[in-house]
Amino acid sequence: MNERNDRVFSGIQPSGEIHIGNYLGAVKKWVELAETHECFYCVVDDHAITVEYDPREMPRQTFDAVLTTMACGLDPTRCTVFVQSHVPEHTELTWLLNTVTPLGSLFRMTQFKDKARNALQRALGQKKGGARKSALYHLKEVGAQALTLIDAARPDVEALDPEAEHTDEQIAELVSRINDRMGEMMQHLQVGLGVSQASTALFDYPVLMAADILLYKATLVPVGEDQEQHLELCREVADRFNRKFGEVFPTARRVKGAAPRILGLDGSQKMSKSLGNHIGVLDPPEVVEQKLKPAYTDPRRVRRSDPGRPEICNIYSLHEFFTGGDRLAELAEGCRTAGIGCFDCKKTLAAGINRALEPIRARAGRLRANPDEVLDGLEQGRRRCVEVAASTMEEVRAAMGIGRGVIGRGAKEVERGD
Ligand code: SF4
């Protein structure tokens, strides 16, 4: 397939506030890709409900995410913008793909373990309440089960005497039993501490992501490196399906360099609303300036007269996106020679960010005053999605021998007595 014919799929969480990390790391590239490819862009509310959330807040957050992506430049007349739960085929395909997804592959997903562990830590960190108590009960239960497994392995460990004349069969049997018990225990501990308390939906998240991509037979996926493992699973699932039921799905690949990792204002972690190290694309100019003031810089620049190292300073990395040309080189030189202080450097950055965000804020203001424009764009997107999704699902169900499309064939065979 010629690259221009590639279909593009990507999604964004309805966090309610899109920040410059999302913009630089995803949405800006989406807008560019929409000029040259057929693109499907989705606000992934079905994904968002796999962790704790407030159902009363969800509609506003979802609408806000759609509005902000449109304000950032996604034009519903040039690409398909939609909300995941408005196209139920996403969850239907997830279920069908579950049948060809090995549990072992899902257990390897590092993001699942991280999210589950974080959820448990959050529950344990709560001062009081049911979540904390239930997490503590859970830990106690997991610990007790692990001790039982250790006890079960004890007789075999004790029976293994390096000085004794064991036969090959005896050794093989002992080793296999010890391995089984230890493996079981490790699995139990690893899974138990957090992971087994997570919802089945969180565990199945990567299959839903595979379904998102495969439903549209997308072959290009502009996501960050941190999603490579999920994309690998998507390819594995598609491949298993194709081998078992016949060729239906193409191979999806990541658009390399499409989603650079943007660090937050703490200079150490990825920019994220939940970490509070972000600048929202709709933050007013004075908020942008305020947020930048305490932002992390080169730690060796303690005094104004200390020379700095722009190459390790996150403020300078942001300048690379927002301050162009000669000014960028001047800033680097000014930093290295202590000709410019961090205060002024940040002021220049704030001006650059505000210049870039101004048209986005203006479009967002216009869309807020005309919500029907957003809803119409969404409806247009939903219709296009349903068209493609219905066709893929017909193919998938027929290949798997299920659904209304094939039941007539069964009736005929019964009638003929086949
Ligand atoms: S002058 Fe700018 S680039 Fe240099 S350390 Fe300060 S904030 Fe960073």
Side-chain angles (χ1 to χ4, degrees), residues 297-298 301 310 313 315-316 335 340-342 345:
T297 61
D298 176 1
R301 265 206 105 174
C313 177
I315 294 296
Y316 188 75
C335 174
I340 181 175
C342 294
C345 185

Side-chain angles (χ1 to χ4, degrees), residues 15 61 105 219 228 259 282 285 289 333 360:
S15 65
Q61 290 183 338
S105 302
T219 44
E228 186 56 57
L282 301 181
E289 278 195 32
E333 181 61 15
I360 299 177

Side-chain angles (χ1 to χ4, degrees), residues 7-273:
R7 218 177 240 167
V8 175
F9 177 91
S10 201
I12 196 162
Q13 291 275 349
S15 65
E17 186 182 7
I18 291 178
H19 51 69
I20 58 171
N22 302 130
Y23 178 65
L24 298 171
V27 184
K28 198 163 174 263
K29 183 71 187 174
W30 294 6
V31 176
E32 284 166 28
L33 284 166
E35 294 299 317
T36 47
H37 292 77
E38 186 186 14
C39 299
F40 291 80
Y41 297 132
C42 175
V43 172
V44 291
D45 56 347
D46 281 334
H47 281 285
I49 61 172
T50 58
V51 289
E52 277 299 307
Y53 77 102
D54 185 343
R56 288 163 308 180
E57 291 285 307
M58 188 54 91
R60 188 190 56 74
Q61 290 183 338
T62 305
F63 182 81
D64 240 11
V66 176
L67 181 147
T68 314
T69 49
M70 287 185 184
C72 286
L74 282 195
D75 177 351
T77 63
R78 291 178 174 271
C79 57
T80 302
V81 184
F82 69 105
V83 175
Q84 192 179 26
S85 65
H86 299 187
V87 186
E89 284 85 350
H90 284 255
T91 43
E92 184 188 354
L93 184 57
T94 303
W95 179 251
L96 301 184
L97 294 179
N98 275 336
T99 66
V100 290
T101 308
L103 271 180
S105 302
L106 289 181
F107 270 118
R108 280 201 298 276
M109 296 294 117
T110 48
Q111 236 180 50
F112 166 65
K113 289 178 194 163
D114 289 347
K115 280 189 182 177
R117 209 173 293 129
N118 290 344
L120 184 72
Q121 290 303 338
R122 270 200 303 278
L124 289 172
Q126 283 175 14
K127 292 274 172 283
K128 52 185 178 197
R132 177 179 154 118
K133 202 169 223 175
S134 124
L136 287 172
Y137 266 114
H138 178 71
L139 275 180
K140 180 143 181 90
E141 194 185 314
V142 168
Q145 284 166 359
L147 290 178
T148 312
L149 288 167
I150 289 177
D151 278 343
R154 199 183 304 275
D156 290 323
V157 174
E158 284 171 0
L160 191 62
D161 178 0
E163 300 296 330
E165 294 287 321
H166 291 303
T167 65
D168 288 352
E169 288 76 24
Q170 281 172 330
I171 290 175
E173 204 180 314
L174 280 170
V175 168
S176 145
R177 276 213 302 266
I178 291 169
N179 273 345
D180 283 355
R181 300 258 189 249
M182 291 301 173
E184 224 178 303
M185 190 191 73
M186 289 310 292
Q187 176 91 339
H188 196 75
L189 275 178
Q190 214 184 37
V191 172
L193 294 179
V195 169
S196 68
Q197 256 214 341
S199 71
T200 308
L202 183 63
F203 187 60
D204 211 25
Y205 184 111
V207 185
L208 177 58
M209 185 171 151
D212 296 339
I213 298 164
L214 298 175
L215 190 58
Y216 303 100
K217 301 195 178 183
T219 44
L220 281 183
V221 188
V223 287
E225 251 174 72
D226 58 345
Q227 293 300 315
E228 186 56 57
Q229 196 186 33
H230 286 166
L231 213 48
E232 185 60 45
L233 182 95
C234 172
R235 286 190 285 269
E236 181 191 342
V237 168
D239 190 47
R240 280 173 176 269
F241 185 97
N242 289 346
R243 275 190 278 124
K244 191 165 179 185
F245 300 113
E247 199 74 18
V248 172
F249 298 119
T251 304
R253 60 192 191 285
R254 192 165 71 86
V255 183
K256 293 231 169 71
R261 189 167 181 261
I262 308 295
L263 289 185
L265 300 179
D266 54 7
S268 58
Q269 304 186 75
K270 192 175 167 181
M271 190 175 281
S272 142
K273 189 191 167 200

